[in-house]
Amino acid sequence: MLAALFALTAAAGCGSDSDEPAKASSPPGERPSKTDSTKRPEPEPRPSVSAADGRDSTACADGNCEIVVSEPVKIPFKGPRGQATLSITEIGPNSIAYTVKSGNGQSKGSASGPGQGCITVLRSNGSGNSCGGLGDAGRPSPQPDAVVIQAAAGEDGTAVLQLVSD
């Protein structure tokens, strides 16, 4: 009996490249569980919508992109008067807030509630905002010498951002 127990103990230690001590074996008649003792990072939540450029905020550098965001982020892009920055300051279920900075100018937008969002038109001589229900607005139309930014809040805590320039 002792020889059989020794053989089982020796077999349990085979095949491991780890320096960790061996774990206790299961009682006879029970199968050991196949749990992994190492923690793997949880995958980022999947948005309920897709975007042409996925989550790649660098795709916005030229002033044209469609991305999904789920956390505050700063997105540099080419504006009508040079470098501009879109900063998502708050995001949550059916809610978004952001600031757009270009030169010495700044514009802010925020919306909350199902189907809500904002559109900002950034021009070389200023900007304008409109926030409220977007419905099925789709992609905003380009405007001459401007960057149009549309931010649509999603119920899952993500938002779809679209930047469109001519």
Side-chain angles (χ1 to χ4, degrees):
M1 175 82 173
L2 188 56
L5 183 57
F6 178 74
L8 281 174
T9 305
C14 293
S16 174
D17 293 334
S18 173
D19 291 335
E20 294 179 18
K23 297 191 173 47
S25 60
S26 300
E30 286 187 27
R31 293 181 161 245
S33 66
K34 292 190 177 197
T35 58
D36 188 356
S37 64
T38 59
K39 285 280 187 183
R40 292 189 178 125
E42 289 292 320
E44 214 169 311
R46 288 253 173 222
S48 60
V49 295
S50 62
D53 297 307
R55 292 180 178 266
D56 183 10
S57 62
T58 63
C60 299
D62 65 355
N64 287 292
C65 67
E66 180 183 57
I67 63 170
V68 174
V69 296
S70 59
E71 59 189 21
V73 64
K74 288 187 178 188
I75 303 168
F77 65 96
K78 181 182 172 196
R81 294 186 70 191
Q83 191 64 28
T85 304
L86 168 62
S87 298
I88 305 303
T89 56
E90 294 178 34
I91 190 162
N94 294 315
S95 153
I96 187 162
Y98 64 89
T99 302
V100 180
K101 292 182 181 178
S102 177
N104 292 330
Q106 176 175 301
S107 182
K108 293 184 176 190
S110 66
S112 62
Q116 302 293 302
C118 296
I119 295 177
T120 298
V121 180
L122 183 62
R123 299 185 185 284
S124 60
N125 61 350
S127 63
N129 276 358
S130 175
C131 295
L134 292 178
D136 293 329
R139 185 171 175 83
S141 298
Q143 296 186 20
D145 302 316
V147 176
V148 181
I149 301 166
Q150 179 174 291
E155 63 185 29
D156 60 355
T158 63
V160 175
L161 304 178
Q162 296 179 334
L163 279 68
V164 178
S165 61
D166 61 346

